[in-house]
Amino acid sequence: MNGQTGKRIVIVGGVAGGASAAARLRRLDETASIVLLERGEYISFANCGLPYYIGGEITGKSALTLQTPESFRARFEVDVRVCNEAVAIDREAREVEVCDRRTGQTYREPYDALILSTGAAPLVPPIPGVDSERVFTLRNIPDTYRIREFMERERPRSAVVVGGGYIGVEMAENLTRAGLAVTIVEAQEQVIAPLDYDMACDVHRHIRDKGVTLLLGAAVSGIENTGDGLRVGVGDRTLEADMLLLSVGVRPESAIAAAAGLAVNERGGVRVDARMRTSDPAIYAVGDMAEVEDYVSKTPAMIPLAGPANKQGRIAADNICGIPSSYSGTQGSSVLRVFDRTVAATGLNEKTAKRLQIPYEKSFTYPASHAGYYPGAEPMSVKLLFAPDTGKILGAQIVGGEGVDKRCDVIATAIRFGGTAADLEELELCYAPPYSSAKDPVNMAGFAAGNVLSGRVSLFHWHDVEAVLQREDAVLLDVRTEGEYRRGHIEGSVNIPLDSLRERLAEVDAGKEIHVLCQVGLRGYLACCILNGRGYRCRNLSGGYRLYASVMEDKASQGPCC
């Protein structure tokens, strides 16, 4: 520890990053004067839990408040001033202009170091009728109370959720649990942007199975308040609803920083260095308002997550107290409950790797959550991205039931330490039949990637199938059983079950490249081992018919949305 500084430190914003910074500062320095300014009434609240209060799973209001101004002041001796909004920064004088929102009076607060943690605000698109009292956004506790009070007072029976991100999907689930008929309207072709489309298809099906109407590739054009409800224009159709929640993204609350001349990016994110310092070394920025570095791609990124915001607050505090501390980047590890499914992701997804022109290969595996012979095993879908030369893990996405979060956390840890597919193969993970298998799903993902990297198998993917069918020098060989083939298959494929393949090799044209598929890829790999061992050229469909059918079903279900 560097010792006592006696500095005067002002923190603007009292949720994840700001509150963490304040607590860390006091632990490091008993002599510092710490002022925490929060324009709202609440500090250190559980914003990730807000949808679950609306849905009724969290029942008490007090559960949402991790610290009150009084408890924070008593424990950390921080001068907490709620309803006090920082409106301007005088960098030359090192003062913050503050407006007391209860009295309207302004005053100036001096600082030796300033931490900005103002977060991000929900985007409100310029849609006619968006200012209706039946239209809501969800960012803080007052927003939550307004939604809950409206539901208790008006007893709505239907809702439209505009936006299929984390908050939108969580709110769709919780409104459904509260008894409302819910429609999600999402402008993109998928929900949950950190997922790739092929992984989102399973989520789409599950959301629809739970009774939620899902309109993808659709945009709201207008909102009309009829007095007892809303008419919501979506393309050429009109939806009737009792309430509407906007969840179309967020924008950094950085106006005060930009006005003070601090460097910001085109989205308004405040540019910081690894120590969380802005272009003014006396001013730090943390949390959703700050542009940081993506840990995997090493490119600038804005990833609004609570965990990184807390870490950044601590790092800013360390540096103010003279302790060299650096933020190594955000890798975007996240998890989401979608009814009784879990969706998790970490690192790069495929669309980002393509956009940044980062070379990658991908594999899909479908392991069970625990030993198949033990009751209750659930399948999970695992997509792994890895470097085609070194095998370094670039990212992962997992959708399934129990154990998804555990597996994604393991892969996130491997990414943080520069792990490769070989490392995933070699990890010794806890095993007992109720919890896992002797070959854990993480190991299985490593095995699949390792087979590609070693050249034991070559892959093709669901989006390659149409081109394969058009080639005269290629054969699409389905090695599932005849019963599986009858229940659903790709038109133009040839069915020779795996267990009959050796006896029926004469039916396979050795002069053509054989593209093999099975249900999830395992039997296809075994078929390729047979064919490669006998001189054939072979590729295996990663993810098998299951993934291909999931994507095709989703595309068909969307149709001409609007």
Side-chain angles (χ1 to χ4, degrees), residues 178-241:
L180 280 70
V182 178
T183 298
I184 296 177
V185 180
E186 167 57 52
Q188 303 302 314
E189 65 173 350
Q190 67 169 86
V191 300
I192 310 174
L195 294 183
D196 289 315
Y197 172 69
D198 43 27
M199 291 296 286
C201 290
D202 277 356
V203 182
H204 297 165
R205 181 172 61 250
H206 187 65
I207 289 173
R208 292 183 176 112
D209 287 346
K210 293 299 180 179
V212 175
T213 300
L214 191 56
L215 302 180
L216 301 172
V220 172
S221 56
I223 303 167
E224 179 188 356
N225 191 336
T226 64
D228 57 357
L230 297 172
R231 290 195 185 99
V232 183
V234 182
D236 59 2
R237 72 172 71 185
T238 300
L239 307 178
E240 303 283 343

Side-chain angles (χ1 to χ4, degrees), residues 26-38:
R26 178 56 71 218
R27 289 194 294 268
L28 295 176
D29 189 345
E30 266 297 306
T31 67
S33 172
I34 306 170
V35 177
L36 179 61
L37 303 172
E38 170 55 50

Side-chain angles (χ1 to χ4, degrees), residues 460 462 465-466 469 476 478 480 485 488-494 517-518 541 544-545 548-549 552:
F460 71 112
W462 63 266
V465 169
E466 185 176 351
L469 290 170
L476 190 59
D478 190 327
R480 296 177 300 156
Y485 188 80
H489 62 270
I490 300 173
E491 291 297 326
S493 63
V494 176
L517 72 133
C518 64
L541 179 60
Y545 183 76
Y548 176 85
M552 294 304 112

